[in-house]
Amino acid sequence: MKEVGVTEDVKAPRSRRLPRPVRERQILDAAVEVFSRHGYHSASMDEISEVAGVSKPMIYSYLGAKEDLFAKCIRREAGRLLEAVRDGLRSELPPDMQLWHGLRSFYRFVAEYRDSWTVLHRQALTVGGRFADEITMLRSRAIEVVTALVVTAGMKKGLGDRAEFSGPALAVALVGAAESLADWWLDHSEVSDGVLASWLMNLVWLGFNDLIEGAVWRPEE
């Protein structure tokens, strides 16, 4: 008789005597998959146990209860996302090309780790509380990286004060746009990561150049 809430295709054979780091990674991988599929509230520890191929007591012993497990999933996936973006920045290039490569790395991560992005951007924000705070911290780090690129570009144009004033706000807008476009992309995977990054650069970066050079839009009186 099938166990309620667990399908045959998600069951994994139980293994033994793996090193603790390997076992923890195995549990976290399974948890991200299950949380992505069902959301925090509907995900069951029974299903996570089956997907990971370990007992529930082992999950509790290694990573804690469901709330702790979800928090650890968010923290790990957030770290992996930031690392992927930073690895793609290429500091030897001009700021605009650094940002373009960073955006491509971001979208490649979303494409390769769809479950991770779903947990980070959809499930965690829906649950709120401490989980949403983790995402806020992730977004703040991303904004810091983009702000540095924007201010550097402005400095090179001799517009230090203006770039420092507008840089943080523009970075917030760019990060928010990148996240929204990533959600759209999940249903339009035929668009390449390079094209997606180029669209965003044309939308945001060109406008930034106009802004710091004084070519600003104003409403008619």
Side-chain angles (χ1 to χ4, degrees):
M1 184 175 178
K2 292 182 182 179
E3 186 176 349
V4 176
V6 180
T7 58
E8 291 180 353
D9 60 333
V10 300
K11 292 186 179 181
R14 299 188 186 277
S15 55
R16 298 178 180 177
R17 297 182 181 177
L18 289 177
R20 180 169 183 137
V22 175
R23 183 69 79 190
E24 288 183 352
R25 183 170 65 249
Q26 179 183 1
I27 295 170
L28 287 171
D29 288 344
V32 168
E33 178 184 337
V34 175
F35 284 132
S36 172
R37 185 185 305 142
H38 301 297
Y40 172 73
H41 293 297
S42 297
S44 72
M45 295 295 275
D46 286 324
E47 185 172 355
I48 293 172
S49 168
E50 290 294 333
V51 173
V54 302
S55 67
K56 282 201 297 183
M58 180 175 287
I59 295 177
Y60 295 134
S61 175
Y62 279 20
L63 295 168
K66 183 178 177 180
E67 182 177 352
D68 297 320
L69 180 59
F70 191 56
K72 288 180 173 68
C73 286
I74 293 171
R75 204 163 295 128
R76 188 189 72 163
E77 302 314 303
R80 293 169 70 184
L81 173 56
L82 275 177
E83 183 179 0
V85 172
R86 284 172 175 157
D87 286 348
L89 287 177
R90 302 188 185 181
S91 59
E92 75 278 6
L93 297 177
D96 59 334
M97 289 303 297
Q98 285 190 56
L99 182 57
W100 184 75
H101 281 290
L103 286 170
R104 288 195 69 182
S105 297
F106 167 61
Y107 290 124
R108 284 172 180 165
F109 179 91
V110 173
E112 186 173 356
Y113 302 102
R114 293 171 68 97
D115 288 347
S116 299
W117 177 249
T118 299
V119 168
L120 287 172
H121 194 62
R122 294 180 178 177
Q123 309 297 2
L125 292 175
T126 300
V127 177
R130 60 180 287 204
F131 307 124
D133 291 342
E134 292 279 352
I135 304 306
T136 299
M137 291 176 60
L138 168 65
R139 185 175 288 128
S140 295
R141 295 190 199 104
I143 290 169
E144 288 173 3
V145 172
V146 176
T147 298
L149 294 176
V150 170
V151 172
T152 299
M155 293 288 189
K156 289 185 176 181
K157 290 178 177 286
L159 300 165
D161 290 343
R162 194 179 302 170
E164 288 185 354
F165 174 73
S166 60
L170 291 170
V172 170
L174 193 150
V175 170
E179 292 173 345
S180 296
L181 199 53
D183 271 351
W184 175 87
W185 193 40
L186 291 178
D187 298 320
H188 299 82
S189 57
E190 71 277 5
V191 180
S192 73
D193 56 84
V195 169
L196 209 65
S198 295
W199 284 348
L200 194 55
M201 290 296 293
N202 277 282
L203 176 67
V204 179
W205 192 265
L206 291 182
F208 162 72
N209 282 334
D210 288 342
L211 180 62
I212 63 175
E213 290 177 3
V216 298
W217 177 87
R218 291 184 176 87
E220 295 182 4
E221 297 295 336

